[in-house]
Amino acid sequence: MRLVSSFIAGGLFGAGLYLSGMTDTAKVQGWLDVFGNWDPTLAFVMGGAMIPMAIAWQVARGRKSSVLGGPLPPPPSREIDRKLILGSGLFGVGWGLAGLCPGPSIASLSYGGPELYVFVAAMLTGMVVAPFVRSRLDKAVPAE
């Protein structure tokens, strides 16, 4: 049942990304170009994603486990530290340069060109390398 529900949820997520335009790099870069040819339509996509997520966090707050019986993740930290600032900055720069973030890039693999595969390979490499780099940085410059 868990595999079936994961498949359905992933399919809905990918279809939603495609229908909303989040897999169209030109549309995403247009959303980020606030001082140029700005395309505000993705604001509706973001609002449409945040509203159900806010409701889901409220529902999850009163539950001990997920609908399928698995553990629920803890609420996100509210602490603003250097890891959050650096990570969100790197994410934003990558998103602005490529016009894709992890979810839409995976959803685009079925129809994307060679540059998409390069992006996903670089993204996966970054995901593997990041914990090692973070560990070394934490040793070199301890958090205050």
Side-chain angles (χ1 to χ4, degrees):
M1 187 62 182
R2 176 173 273 148
L3 189 59
V4 171
S5 64
S6 296
F7 181 78
I8 292 169
L12 285 172
F13 180 68
L17 289 172
Y18 179 76
L19 291 173
S20 68
M22 290 291 293
T23 58
D24 179 359
T25 57
K27 187 165 192 72
V28 172
Q29 287 170 331
W31 157 254
L32 297 171
D33 187 8
V34 293
F35 298 114
N37 192 19
W38 187 50
D39 178 1
T41 57
L42 289 183
F44 296 107
V45 174
M46 299 218 183
M50 290 189 300
I51 292 168
M53 195 63 226
I55 294 168
W57 277 114
Q58 292 302 318
V59 170
R61 184 174 285 160
R63 298 182 58 94
K64 300 281 187 222
S65 63
S66 72
V67 173
L68 296 176
L72 291 171
S77 171
R78 294 184 177 264
E79 181 183 358
I80 298 175
D81 60 3
R82 68 180 182 180
K83 291 179 187 177
L84 176 66
I85 293 169
L86 180 62
S88 59
L90 287 171
F91 179 88
V93 167
W95 195 31
L97 290 173
L100 286 171
C101 59
S105 67
I106 300 298
S108 301
L109 280 175
S110 64
Y111 63 85
E115 54 278 337
L116 181 67
Y117 297 110
V118 171
F119 174 83
V120 171
M123 178 184 72
L124 293 175
T125 301
M127 288 177 175
V128 170
V129 171
F132 299 108
V133 171
R134 185 172 55 211
S135 172
R136 297 199 86 180
L137 287 174
D138 285 345
K139 289 178 186 173
V141 183
E144 297 176 14

